[in-house]
Amino acid sequence: MRLLHTSDWHLGRGFHRVSLRDAQERFLDHLVATAREEKVDAVLVAGDVYDRAVPPLSAVELFDDALHRLGALGVPTIMISGNHDSARRLGVGAGLLGRAGVHLRTDPAGCANPVLLADEHGEIAFYGLPYLEPSLVRTEFDVEHAGHAAVLGAAMDRVRADLATRPGTRSVVLAHAFVVGGEPCDSERDITAGGVAAVPVGVFGGVDYVALGHLHRCQSLSERVRYSGSPLAYSFSEADHRKSMWLLDLGPDGRPHAERIDCPVPRRLARVRGGIEELLADQALAPLADAWLEVTLTDAVRPADAMARLAERFPHVLNLVFDPEDTDHADGALGYADRLRGRDDHQITADFVAHVRGGRGPDDAERALLRDALETARVHEAAREATP
């Protein structure tokens, strides 16, 4: 059976101040064309269909159009909700859509109820594990410690138990998680809970292929466990990514053979660093005039009208970062957002405490209180997005 594995469409998302609607539409055109030309038997979408719980109408229209075109080709689509999606909203009408070949798996309780498709070698069971927020699903899976590894492990135990009742059936799991060995980037929403969000790849043992979503770089954790990555770059940290989908042939013995299908690139991404006068004069940078550009300025003092001056030479400059090489002036030159770059929520709150107390950071007890407060806020946010 031939499968097309993709994920992390993030429909409705922009890139800094640029709309990506046209680029997302071109990607979906490419996906449908690939499904037709490669005679794909099913499309797998491993979560984060939308960029936020309540997507804009334009994003919903893109989603609807893509499903109609895949349906017209007679290609079944199997998809799960990710941490950016509202599982309840995405799953509306799942039963009815399933009759039309669009199989939405957004309810954790149904993770062991497979979509069954068949080829000349027999049936393949497709299990959809939507993003599992540990604090919200621990009761469903009856786990003592609400961690990502625990709830995913419990979900996979259910999958393996069901698969054991189907001798000779090949199997595919769709999951949305941060699996150990995967390489993250800046554009994924943090799903850590006390720093223990990573799930061992061994959790997925016993199935023929695992189609992962969440991380935006296309990567293979093993022959049978792969991330497709996002079809478009959503941060400058993805400037060196090759955006693609996995075209997968699952043989009669369940052994997967995969190759990458490149996705359309709307515009090249690039990063440059240096003093403003140096960057404006360097002729070697001429090819970057057509690129979406992030510029890191190293001037000791923030140059006046820096963005306007850079835009005269680089019309598509989108992001400006200040990182003065003169450390004596660095604190004054850096903006607040720049000082926070690269820090997680725990570090930011600890730095704030140190700032307001004249350099004395939180002690162990205070750090524990801060972690509890951040975790409570994160769970409340997840619960709010899960509420229709």
Side-chain angles (χ1 to χ4, degrees):
M1 182 172 287
R2 176 160 284 189
L3 309 172
L4 191 60
H5 168 198
T6 180
S7 74
D8 295 273
W9 295 357
H10 289 280
L11 299 180
R13 187 165 183 164
F15 187 76
H16 292 270
R17 62 177 181 270
V18 176
S19 169
L20 290 179
R21 189 196 184 284
D22 289 346
Q24 290 175 334
E25 184 174 13
R26 287 196 296 274
F27 159 68
L28 292 173
D29 290 342
H30 171 68
L31 181 146
V32 173
T34 300
R36 180 181 62 250
E37 293 164 7
E38 298 291 345
K39 297 180 172 56
V40 167
D41 296 302
V43 171
L44 313 179
V45 188
D48 282 354
V49 176
Y50 294 119
D51 188 57
R52 54 183 184 266
V54 184
L57 179 59
S58 60
V60 178
E61 290 172 342
L62 285 177
F63 176 70
D64 180 66
D65 180 66
L67 294 185
H68 273 83
R69 287 190 286 165
L70 288 171
L73 294 176
V75 178
T77 301
I78 304 168
M79 60 177 59
I80 60 174
S81 51
N83 60 299
H84 280 249
D85 300 309
S86 166
R88 294 285 295 276
R89 288 186 176 90
L90 186 63
V92 168
L96 184 61
L97 288 170
R99 299 176 193 172
V102 178
H103 305 281
L104 296 168
R105 291 295 185 263
T106 64
D107 183 0
C111 66
N113 299 327
V115 176
L116 297 174
L117 302 179
D119 62 10
E120 64 272 24
H121 304 295
E123 283 190 330
I124 300 178
F126 294 84
Y127 297 92
L129 276 57
Y131 170 66
L132 302 175
E133 170 57 45
S135 297
L136 299 181
V137 301
R138 63 178 300 178
T139 301
E140 167 64 33
F141 292 106
D142 192 27
V143 295
E144 182 178 354
H145 301 291
H148 288 266
V151 295
L152 262 175
M156 281 301 301
D157 285 343
R158 293 188 184 184
V159 167
R160 285 184 284 264
D162 180 81
L163 192 57
T165 69
R166 306 175 189 275
T169 299
R170 291 162 290 166
S171 55
V172 174
V173 166
L174 289 76
H176 195 87
F178 183 6
V179 180
V180 172
E183 183 178 346
C185 62
D186 291 348
S187 59
E188 300 122 8
R189 181 180 295 170
D190 185 17
I191 60 172
T192 59
V196 291
V199 175
V201 71
V203 163
F204 297 104
V207 296
D208 293 311
Y209 184 74
V210 181
L212 292 174
H214 180 56
L215 299 187
H216 287 186
R217 181 188 289 274
C218 181
Q219 51 198 300
S220 301
L221 305 186
S222 74
E223 180 188 28
R224 298 180 183 274
V225 182
R226 301 175 188 265
Y227 281 101
S228 67
S230 61
L232 296 169
Y234 291 114
S235 73
F236 278 103
S237 66
E238 300 169 61
D240 65 340
H241 288 196
R242 174 188 166 195
K243 295 301 183 181
S244 57
M245 304 177 286
W246 287 111
L247 183 65
L248 181 79
D249 287 306
L250 200 64
D253 60 353
R255 188 179 182 89
H257 172 75
E259 64 174 293
R260 291 175 71 173
I261 302 293
D262 289 335
C263 294
V265 178
R267 190 179 292 276
R268 176 187 173 191
L269 268 62
R271 287 168 143 174
V272 295
R273 177 185 178 89
I276 190 168
E277 301 300 338
E278 170 194 350
L279 297 176
L280 291 174
D282 189 350
Q283 292 306 307
L285 300 180
L288 300 184
D290 291 329
W292 279 332
L293 197 63
E294 179 181 78
V295 177
T296 299
L297 292 179
T298 59
D299 301 84
V301 177
R302 184 188 296 254
D305 301 320
M307 180 63 89
R309 294 176 64 194
L310 289 164
E312 289 182 4
R313 186 179 186 199
F314 307 107
H316 303 288
V317 59
L318 296 182
N319 194 39
L320 194 57
V321 179
F322 291 95
D323 186 18
E325 292 182 345
D326 184 346
T327 56
D328 290 339
H329 298 280
D331 288 344
L334 284 174
Y336 180 68
D338 299 318
R339 293 198 301 273
L340 300 187
R341 189 179 302 278
R343 291 177 167 85
D344 62 24
D345 289 344
H346 301 285
Q347 292 170 317
I348 291 169
T349 53
D351 289 350
F352 176 78
V353 171
H355 173 71
V356 298
R357 293 203 307 206
R360 183 169 61 88
D363 58 26
D364 291 344
E366 291 168 333
R367 287 181 182 276
L369 288 172
L370 290 170
R371 282 196 298 270
D372 288 344
L374 289 169
E375 176 63 10
T376 299
R378 190 178 64 82
V379 170
H380 286 173
E381 175 66 12
R384 185 186 65 79
E385 291 186 356
T387 302

Coordinates of all heavy atoms in Angstrom, one line a residue, residues 37 45 76 96 100 169 189 205 281-282 330 344 355 373:
E37 N -0.6 11.7 -8.9 CA 0.4 11.2 -9.8 C 1.1 10.0 -9.3 O 1.6 9.1 -10.1 CB 1.5 12.3 -10.0 CG 0.9 13.5 -10.8 CD 1.7 14.8 -10.7 OE1 2.9 14.7 -10.1 OE2 1.3 15.8 -11.2
V45 N -2.1 12.6 8.0 CA -1.8 13.9 8.5 C -1.7 13.8 10.0 O -2.6 13.6 10.7 CB -2.9 14.9 8.1 CG1 -2.5 16.3 8.5 CG2 -3.3 14.9 6.6
P76 N -8.5 8.0 0.6 CA -8.8 8.2 2.0 C -7.8 9.1 2.7 O -6.6 9.0 2.4 CB -8.8 6.8 2.6 CG -8.9 5.9 1.4 CD -8.2 6.6 0.3
L96 N -19.7 11.2 10.3 CA -20.2 11.4 9.0 C -19.1 11.5 7.9 O -19.1 10.9 6.8 CB -21.0 12.7 8.9 CG -21.7 13.0 7.6 CD1 -22.7 11.9 7.2 CD2 -22.5 14.4 7.8
A100 N -17.2 9.3 4.1 CA -16.8 9.9 2.9 C -15.3 9.7 2.7 O -14.7 10.2 1.7 CB -17.1 11.4 2.9
T169 N -2.3 -8.8 10.4 CA -2.7 -7.4 10.0 C -1.5 -6.5 10.1 O -0.9 -6.4 11.2 CB -3.9 -6.9 10.8 OG1 -5.0 -7.7 10.6 CG2 -4.2 -5.5 10.3
R189 N 5.3 24.9 19.3 CA 4.9 25.3 20.6 C 5.4 24.4 21.6 O 5.3 23.1 21.5 CB 3.4 25.4 20.6 CG 2.8 25.8 22.0 CD 1.3 25.9 22.0 NE 0.8 26.8 21.1 CZ -0.5 26.9 20.8 NH1 -1.4 26.1 21.3 NH2 -0.9 27.9 19.9
G205 N 7.0 0.5 20.0 CA 7.3 -0.9 19.5 C 6.1 -1.7 19.2 O 5.0 -1.5 19.7
A281 N 27.2 47.2 2.6 CA 28.3 47.4 1.6 C 28.7 46.1 1.0 O 29.3 46.0 -0.1 CB 29.5 48.1 2.2
D282 N 28.5 44.9 1.6 CA 29.0 43.6 1.2 C 28.3 43.1 -0.1 O 27.2 42.7 -0.1 CB 28.8 42.6 2.3 CG 29.5 41.3 2.1 OD1 30.1 41.1 1.0 OD2 29.6 40.5 3.0
A330 N 25.8 46.0 25.8 CA 24.8 45.0 25.4 C 23.5 45.1 26.1 O 22.5 45.1 25.4 CB 25.4 43.6 25.6
D344 N 13.3 29.4 28.0 CA 12.0 28.8 28.2 C 11.3 29.6 29.3 O 11.9 30.5 30.0 CB 12.1 27.3 28.5 CG 12.8 27.0 29.8 OD1 12.9 27.9 30.7 OD2 13.3 25.9 29.9
H355 N 15.9 40.0 38.5 CA 15.9 41.4 38.1 C 15.3 42.3 39.1 O 15.8 43.3 39.5 CB 15.2 41.6 36.7 CG 15.0 43.0 36.3 ND1 16.1 43.8 35.9 CD2 13.9 43.8 36.2 CE1 15.6 45.0 35.5 NE2 14.3 45.0 35.8
A373 N 3.0 27.1 39.2 CA 2.2 28.1 38.6 C 2.2 28.1 37.1 O 1.1 28.2 36.4 CB 2.7 29.5 39.0

